[in-house]
Each structure stands twice: as structure tokens, then as C-alpha cells.
């Protein structure tokens, strides 16, 4: 596949510019991971605290192995899920050219190989990995459609068009000697990891200090958000799930009428972005089952509804 967006995107990245591009999870705001000036630009533009490290995107396992140490279990998990929505925290080799600024000078870096044609085409054409956080302002809602990308970001940064098929960010994990630490719930479920890797001990992200992105407040729409609602208040819009009697007098969207969590994940950020643009007193969200991808959706909802005052 070759289109003018890709050609342009590649050209800009080579010149040290930033580019917004789709991945299978959410859109990324990318730049050359080996260029510290570029990394600085990403942090500034996103208004992101410097202690919240970026994820680095690679074209293949060879490129990762050139830059990072990988033990047996890390290799096994990488091979199982890559290309795909898995971010593995790996220890960087001394000779790696990846900018220390990407991970706030820590040698532990979040790595992934995306499973999206456009992201892959871009990576294949470059001889450096791409550092890319989600393409939203810090603490705001992630974008899975071109139309949901923040208009100021879009004004200043070139966007390679496309769509994110899965709709939720990657699952961030770190391998310890004999267990897996989930640092952020994502598109790969805990249940799936347990099924594929037998008898593995898994620690969950609750109160985890290792992933600075796990702040209490995050993924927040501009409008107030209420979760697990039993009744929609007057003038609130509704983000519904499954079949029930909930109804809004302003606007109704259903993540999945069939109660399918894969479909709900795909729609989740897009619908949240849509409801945030509709005039209402706030967004009421129906209860989502807390299993599989529902755990990831509930994690995002909890942070999106967090009030700091
Ligand atoms: O699906 C995704 O992961 C998307 C696409 C664009 O790849 N990216 C993404 O990046 O969600 P971002 O920056 O929005 O979230 C990265 C998360 C944060 O919670 C961050 O704290 C954690 O990964 N993370 C990154 N590097 C880390 C590291 N070295 N140690 C611990 N946590 C890390
Ligand atoms: Mg993000």
C-alpha cells in the first residue's frame, strides 16, 4: 500500500517532525525515538509530565532485540502477541540509540510492534523506531478516529488518515522473575494471558506506582461523567451498554446493544468523544460488566469520572 499520506508522513518523520498516525489501538502522536529534540517536542505538545514515559514502536523483533535485553519469558510473550496491542517494559542495552528522554533517563522502556497496516508501512520505511504516546492532550480522551483528534493538535501536526480497529490502548506489562506485572489494562485481557501462558502468576495494576500514566484522573471528557448509573438525570446524555430501560432525553448511544465487549471497546473512545461534543449537563454511563475487556473499559471510566475537588 502506498498513498500520499504515508509518503508525506515518512518524509516529515525523517526531518524530525511529529506525525499523528493510526495504530490498531488508538492514534499515536509520533516522532523519531532516537532524537531527543523530537521527544522534547512530544512532551511539550501533549503537556505531558516528563516522568510519564513514552511507548516506543518498532517494525520487528530484530529491531527490538538490537536495542533491548530479552529473557526467555519476554521473548515468549513478545512472539505470542506481536505485532499486536502489547507493550512490554524492557531493559535497554548500553549501545541503544533510543533517546534517554523517552523514559525520563530510566533504562526501562515500553516497547511494542503495532498491528496496523499504516503504522507498519511507516515503520518499515524508517531506520529508527517511533516514540508515540496516544494522540490526545494529557489526561484527555484518546482518539480512535480522525474526527476525534483534538483540533489544535490537528492544526499543527500532519495526520496520516486511518482508523483504530480495537479502540483501547495496549496492555502494558513487565516481566518479573516468576510473575507478570500488569501496569495498565488494555486491549489484551488478563484472561487471555492466563489462557496462553499456563500457570503464570499475574499481578494487577491496582495502586501500581511503576506506571506513571496510571493517574487517578485521566481519559477525561470536558463534561462531567457519572458511571454505573441506574437512572439518567434530566439533560444528561447516555452512554449505554446492552439492553435495559435507561434513556436520555438529550442523546443516546449504545456501546453494544448485544452486550459484546469487543464491539464496546471499538466504540468506547469514539462515543465518549461524540458525547463530549453534544450540549448536555453531563454524560451518564451504564454499568459495564467487569470481566475481560470490560475491566479495561471500567479502568478508563473510573479515571474519566474522577473528581479532584
Ligand atoms: O496503544 C497504545 O499503547 C498507544 C499507541 C499509540 O501505541 N499508546 C499509548 O501511549 O497509549 P500513552 O503514552 O498514552 O500511554 C503509555 C502508558 C502510560 O501509562 C505510561 O506510564 C506507560 O505506558 N509506560 C510507558 N513506558 C513505561 C515504562 N518505561 N515504565 C512504566 N510504564 C511505562
Ligand atoms: Mg494516553
Amino acid at each position: 500500500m502506498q498513498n500520499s499520506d504515508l509518503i508525506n508522513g515518512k518524509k516529515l518523520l525523517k526531518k524530525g517532525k511529529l506525525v499523528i498516525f493510526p495504530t490498531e489501538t488508538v492514534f499515536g502522536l509520533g516522532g523519531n525515538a532516537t532524537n531527543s529534540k523530537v521527544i522534547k517536542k512530544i512532551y511539550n505538545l501533549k503537556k505531558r509530565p516528563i516522568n510519564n514515559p513514552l511507548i516506543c514502536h518498532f517494525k520487528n523483533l530484530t529491531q527490538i532485540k538490537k536495542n533491548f535485553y530479552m529473557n526467555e519469558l519476554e521473548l515468549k510473550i513478545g512472539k505470542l502477541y506481536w505485532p499486536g496491542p502489547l507493550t512490554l517494559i524492557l531493559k535497554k542495552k548500553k549501545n541503544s540509540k533510543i533517546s534517554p528522554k523517552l523514559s525520563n533517563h530510566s533504562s526501562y522502556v515500553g516497547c511494542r510492534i503495532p498491528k496496523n497496516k499504516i503504522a507498519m508501512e511507516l515503520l518499515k520505511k524508517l531506520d529508527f523506531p517511533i516514540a508515540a504516546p496516544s494522540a490526545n492532550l494529557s489526561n484527555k480522551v484518546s482518539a480512535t478516529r480522525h474526527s476525534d483528534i483534538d483540533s489544535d493538535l490537528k492544526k499543527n501536526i500532519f495526520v496520516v488518515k486511518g482508523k483504530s480497529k480495537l479502540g483501547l490502548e495496549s496492555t502494558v506489562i513487565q516481566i518479573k522473575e516468576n510473575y507478570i506485572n500488569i501496569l495498565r489494562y488494555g486491549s489484551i485481557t488478563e484472561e487471555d494471558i492466563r489462557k496462553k501462558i499456563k500457570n503464570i502468576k499475574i499481578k494487577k495494576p491496582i495502586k501500581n506506582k511503576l506506571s506513571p500514566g496510571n493517574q487517578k484522573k485521566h481519559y477525561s471528557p470536558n463534561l462531567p461523567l457519572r458511571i454505573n448509573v441506574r437512572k439518567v438525570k434530566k439533560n444528561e446524555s447516555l452512554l449505554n451498554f446492552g439492553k435495559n430501560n435507561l434513556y436520555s432525553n438529550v442523546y443516546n448511544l449504545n456501546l453494544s446493544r448485544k452486550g459484546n465487549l469487543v464491539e464496546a471497546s471499538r466504540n468506547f473512545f469514539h462515543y465518549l468523544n461524540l458525547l463530549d461534543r453534544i450540549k448536555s449537563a453531563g454524560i451518564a454511563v451504564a454499568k459495564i460488566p467487569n470481566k475481560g475487556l470490560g475491566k479495561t473499559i471500567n479502568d478508563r471510566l473510573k479515571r474519566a469520572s474522577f473528581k479532584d475537588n
Side-chain angles (χ1 to χ4, degrees), residues 26 46 48 52 133-140 142 169 184 218-219:
V26 299
K46 264 201 74 140
R48 179 172 177 125
N52 188 3
S134 50
N136 52 281
L137 297 181
S138 244
N139 296 338
K140 292 293 172 190
S142 303
E169 293 90 345
R184 176 180 72 175
H218 203 146
Y219 311 102

Side-chain angles (χ1 to χ4, degrees), residues 163-175:
K163 197 173 152 184
S164 298
K165 200 176 159 199
L166 300 180
L168 295 172
E169 293 90 345
S170 62
T171 301
V172 181
I173 73 172
Q174 186 162 32
I175 310 285

Side-chain angles (χ1 to χ4, degrees), residues 25 48 52-53 55 57 108 112 133-134 169-170 184 210-211 213:
T25 56
R48 179 172 177 125
N52 188 3
I55 290 174
H57 297 69
Y108 288 91
R112 88 178 190 97
S134 50
E169 293 90 345
S170 62
R184 176 180 72 175
L210 257 176
S211 200

